[in-house]
Amino acid sequence: MGKEDAIKKSVVYSAMEVAKICGVVNQTAINWIRNNYLKASTTPGGQFRVYPDDLVEFMEKNDMQVPVEVLENCKVKVHIQKQSVLLVDDDKAWNDVMAKFLKQRYETLHIYQAFDGFEAGSEMASKHPKSVVLDIDLPGIDGMKLCQTINKSDAFGKPLIIVVTALEDADLEKNCRKYGAAEFFKKPVNLPQLADTLGKLLELTAAS
């Protein structure tokens, strides 16, 4: 076990921390554990401890949004779907347009959609897409930090990242690539060009 793995394995949550993450009172988290809904261990002093992997499994089973900070503490075996993409953009109309266009271009492509950073983290942890088309200007979350986290964390399977943004910053593309982006597009995006780029990254064949 490497040093990084050892650090991740040592991360555990108390019942109070679980309650805060899930947005409930402390007693509710304790009841989940006592009723065997949420897997936990007990310290010699009688305190509950929950591993990140078990917490994520519980939250996903109960349709809760899993914070990125919890996901990146997981150490899981990831099965990557080679022909898959997660589209992350809070503009639902644009997100739907991308999904429709890509599905027409690549019939075998598995397409998932997320409309904010929390949903993106949950989808990546459960679906493990091979690629992510990521709008970094997302409400309530630092898109640049999210890009870096996706690239570094084993919990997401380190998917190929294509950044799509309307932000104006001379150093933006350089910084996105520094934090793990494989490709970079400015809005408005040329959809055929985006599809071609994704196809080359995933070695997809266009539908006839």
Side-chain angles (χ1 to χ4, degrees), residues 19-134:
K20 183 177 180 181
I21 291 168
C22 295
V24 298
V25 297
N26 189 40
Q27 188 59 49
T28 298
I30 292 173
N31 289 340
W32 287 339
I33 295 169
R34 286 177 174 169
N35 290 316
N36 296 319
Y37 298 139
L38 173 59
K39 184 178 178 182
S41 58
T42 307
T43 68
Q47 300 297 312
F48 293 122
R49 294 292 182 264
V50 178
Y51 282 109
D53 299 78
D54 295 321
L55 179 57
V56 169
E57 182 180 357
F58 171 80
M59 293 182 73
E60 289 181 344
K61 187 181 296 184
N62 289 278
D63 296 322
M64 299 179 185
Q65 289 189 333
V66 185
V68 172
E69 291 78 9
V70 176
L71 288 165
E72 64 181 325
N73 284 327
C74 292
K75 185 64 180 177
V76 296
K77 292 182 179 179
V78 176
H79 173 67
I80 306 298
Q81 294 191 55
K82 292 185 178 180
Q83 294 190 337
S84 58
V85 62
L86 172 65
L87 307 177
V88 185
D89 200 303
D90 61 309
D91 184 337
K92 188 177 187 303
W94 166 244
N95 200 319
D96 288 342
V97 166
M98 283 194 294
K100 183 177 180 180
F101 187 90
L102 290 172
K103 193 60 182 177
Q104 289 175 340
R105 178 67 70 91
Y106 305 114
E107 292 180 351
T108 61
L109 180 63
H110 294 279
I111 299 174
Y112 307 106
Q113 294 174 266
F115 304 99
D116 59 50
F118 289 109
E119 190 177 8
S122 181
E123 286 291 290
M124 282 185 287
S126 61
K127 302 298 194 309
H128 304 308
K130 178 65 176 177
S131 60
V132 179
V133 176
L134 175 67

